[in-house]
Amino acid sequence: MTSVETLNTEWALAWMKGCAEQAHEHREELIELDRVIGDSDHGENVDRGFRAVVEKLEADAPASIVDVLKLTAKTLMSTVGGASGPLLGTAFLRAAKSVGSDELDSAGVAALIEAALEGITTRGKAQEGEKTMVDAWAPAARAAREQADAGAGAADVLRAAADAAAEGAEATIPLVATKGRASYLGERSAGHKDPGAASTALFIAAAAAAAAAAVKEG
């Protein structure tokens, strides 16, 4: 049976709030991951960035999913340092461009994640297997599309994406980084989870949690 459940602006707002909560809760963990193979600032950057996003969303009260994603993109680009700001900002901007209506069905959710991935790979010139956030976004996009094509509802599509992103993040541990700051370490980068992939898994999990809550309330 094909589900017709959809996600609206309230879901998008809840998603961004969830991202802020996850970034804050896991701030020290992400800092530690980045201390080992990066600049030690990833946790602080995403925590600050998504707190700023929530503040802007509360102040501006965007009326559509597109507006939520565009405001998120703009805020992240202006507040998050390092490579993460431009990459995440581009991801949410491309995601906004993929949204064709004020409600997202399962196919729309899959298209959103695919668009975010495309934005990151275009901006960062990274591919799967190079120990970056792409290693979480790419399996999430595949899982989302597979579930959407199978007729799953939007919340289940996001749950599958979140599970795949978490697995993808874990799979970066044995990889040798060939892109970004961690690539300077060469073989020494193996044995450590990529912080960008780790935060990506948290953010997609926040999207799934917001969708599950929306479906339950509906």
Side-chain angles (χ1 to χ4, degrees):
M1 180 182 296
T2 300
S3 173
V4 295
E5 77 185 28
T6 58
L7 302 174
N8 58 20
T9 307
E10 291 303 313
W11 161 77
L13 290 168
W15 177 18
M16 294 308 112
K17 183 178 180 181
C19 286
E21 291 171 349
Q22 289 293 311
H24 186 68
E25 179 180 345
H26 294 273
R27 177 179 182 274
E28 296 302 321
E29 172 191 335
L30 295 171
I31 287 174
E32 180 59 22
L33 288 175
D34 200 33
R35 183 190 66 77
V36 179
I37 61 174
D39 293 328
S40 305
D41 59 358
H42 186 65
E44 180 179 350
N45 282 340
V46 294
D47 182 25
R48 180 178 65 250
F50 277 102
R51 279 191 285 111
V53 165
V54 170
E55 290 173 2
K56 287 291 292 181
L57 292 173
E58 290 177 347
D60 292 16
S64 69
I65 295 175
V66 171
D67 289 341
V68 170
L69 296 176
K70 284 184 175 180
L71 185 57
T72 296
K74 180 179 178 181
T75 305
L76 291 176
M77 286 180 175
S78 64
T79 60
V80 177
S84 297
L87 290 172
L88 288 173
T90 302
F92 283 110
L93 188 60
R94 294 293 181 89
K97 291 181 179 179
S98 76
V99 177
S101 70
D102 287 339
E103 294 191 345
L104 285 179
D105 59 10
S106 57
V109 168
L112 184 155
I113 297 175
E114 289 169 339
L117 169 63
E118 192 272 335
I120 290 168
T121 54
T122 299
R123 185 70 182 257
K125 310 299 182 186
Q127 298 179 351
E128 197 170 0
E130 293 183 320
K131 203 181 183 89
T132 71
M133 65 175 67
V134 172
D135 290 305
W137 280 103
R142 287 194 297 271
R145 176 55 61 189
E146 179 180 335
Q147 289 299 307
D149 288 348
D156 287 337
V157 167
L158 280 169
R159 174 41 53 198
D163 290 345
E167 292 174 5
E170 289 296 320
T172 65
I173 293 174
L175 296 179
V176 173
T178 56
K179 202 77 173 181
R181 178 77 176 179
S183 66
Y184 300 162
L185 297 176
E187 296 289 338
R188 287 179 295 157
S189 64
H192 306 284
K193 187 190 299 187
D194 179 71
S199 63
T200 293
L202 295 174
F203 301 149
I204 298 179
V215 171
K216 183 176 181 180
E217 291 174 3

